[in-house]
Amino acid sequence: MSLVGKTCWVVGGVGVVGKSITRSLLRAGATVIVNSRSSSRLDSLVADLENPERLVAVHGSLLPGKATKTVSETLRDTTLDHVVAHGAVRWWASDKGDETFSLDIVPGRGRRFLEAMTPEEFSYSSSQLATFHFSAAQSLLPRVQFSNGKGTYTFVTGDGSGKPGGRRSTMAEINSYHLWGLAAAMRSEMAMSDTNNVLVREIRIGISMNRAEEEIAHDPRERRLSEDTGDICAGLISNPNTSEEVLNIDSVEKLISLRQEYAA
């Protein structure tokens, strides 16, 4: 598994899973770009990864109206080979960690149940995550298309529906399905393109990255599950010949099996 000489951009790279993806790509030899609107989260990422030379931390946004500037300024003299877009709707996250909160899904009003929203609020809120990733892809995908060789655009998404304890907000649930639709549409469009040289794939996570204390005591692990996820990303990117478009990780056993397959 080698990405030496390749440049990867990790969208959503400052969280738990995003940081593990970034670490694995660095270990595979890639130069890794991570952006964030939060300078403090970028500083924490750089410190946690021990200030690696090939990590490029960019204080900038990929939201609509800002993505073009962030990408053009960052890639002025750089070729982009791969993108990993971490979806960040995590059913295992706390309220403050859910991406729908950081995107300000209902401005100034916090968490709302579906039946309490107006149609206008629903229209705005239901597509925020997909809109963000559409904005990112619109600026990043052309850069990958004009790179040398086969590039990849890999979505890492959270599983949806039926999670125990109701730990996912209503709008997070809806946003996750919209993001799946965006990933599927990009796969279809790239597959039908006569000039396509970008593989669009998806890793769909349906297990908790933050295990309960009882589970950890019963089944301790030397590695975090998020680190295994990062290794799968790096291995998948470095293997453009695999035909699988969607990898479903619905159990720890499946996660370990895929890591052994792709991170070897």
Side-chain angles (χ1 to χ4, degrees), residues 2-207:
S2 176
L3 291 171
V4 174
K6 302 297 184 180
T7 299
C8 307
W9 191 308
V10 180
V11 181
V14 295
V16 174
V17 177
K19 179 171 65 176
S20 293
I21 293 170
T22 300
R23 179 186 288 112
S24 293
L25 293 173
L26 288 167
R27 286 176 176 170
T31 295
V32 184
I33 302 168
V34 178
N35 75 285
S36 176
R37 292 172 289 165
S38 169
S39 56
S40 62
R41 297 192 76 186
L42 283 173
D43 291 342
S44 296
L45 173 70
V46 172
D48 289 346
L49 297 180
E50 299 180 346
N51 196 28
E53 181 180 353
R54 285 178 282 100
L55 175 62
V56 181
V58 176
H59 185 209
S61 175
L62 294 177
L63 286 169
K66 300 179 180 180
T68 299
K69 179 181 178 181
T70 299
V71 172
S72 61
E73 290 182 351
T74 303
L75 298 177
R76 185 177 292 111
D77 300 312
T78 303
T79 298
L80 183 62
D81 301 290
H82 305 283
V83 175
V84 179
H86 178 221
V89 172
R90 306 178 299 277
W91 64 264
W92 59 86
S94 65
D95 287 354
K96 292 182 180 180
D98 193 311
E99 181 67 9
T100 52
F101 287 85
S102 67
L103 285 177
D104 195 19
I105 285 296
V106 182
R109 298 180 64 178
R111 188 175 187 176
R112 295 296 302 273
F113 292 105
L114 182 61
E115 63 269 18
M117 301 176 72
T118 67
E120 292 77 16
E121 286 176 332
F122 177 80
S123 177
Y124 171 82
S125 301
S126 62
S127 61
Q128 279 295 283
L129 194 66
T131 300
F132 162 66
H133 278 281
F134 176 82
S135 173
Q138 197 170 47
S139 293
L140 291 171
L141 187 60
R143 298 285 184 155
V144 180
Q145 286 178 307
F146 292 106
S147 65
N148 296 321
K150 198 76 172 179
T152 66
Y153 202 109
T154 305
F155 287 92
V156 180
T157 63
D159 193 10
S161 188
K163 297 307 176 186
R167 289 178 286 178
R168 194 178 208 173
S169 70
T170 303
M171 298 316 300
E173 190 76 10
I174 295 171
N175 270 261
S176 69
Y177 282 92
H178 276 176
L179 185 56
W180 291 351
L182 174 64
M186 285 180 57
R187 287 196 300 272
S188 177
E189 186 170 286
M190 289 295 101
M192 292 187 295
S193 172
D194 293 333
T195 60
N196 173 41
N197 68 332
V198 181
L199 291 172
V200 179
R201 295 180 287 197
E202 181 181 354
I203 299 173
R204 190 173 295 178
I205 302 173
I207 60 174

Side-chain angles (χ1 to χ4, degrees), residues 197-241:
N197 68 332
V198 181
L199 291 172
V200 179
R201 295 180 287 197
E202 181 181 354
I203 299 173
R204 190 173 295 178
I205 302 173
I207 60 174
S208 173
M209 295 290 103
N210 299 326
R211 300 192 301 162
E213 293 183 3
E214 296 80 4
E215 183 181 352
I216 295 175
H218 175 71
D219 181 23
R221 303 183 82 240
E222 294 182 0
R223 294 168 49 89
R224 291 178 179 270
L225 298 178
S226 59
E227 293 177 2
D228 288 343
T229 302
D231 285 352
I232 292 171
C233 280
L236 187 64
I237 290 170
S238 64
N239 182 12
N241 296 320

Side-chain angles (χ1 to χ4, degrees), residues 249-260:
I249 301 177
D250 53 11
S251 67
V252 174
E253 291 74 20
K254 183 63 176 292
L255 178 73
I256 295 172
S257 173
L258 287 172
R259 181 181 180 274
Q260 291 172 343

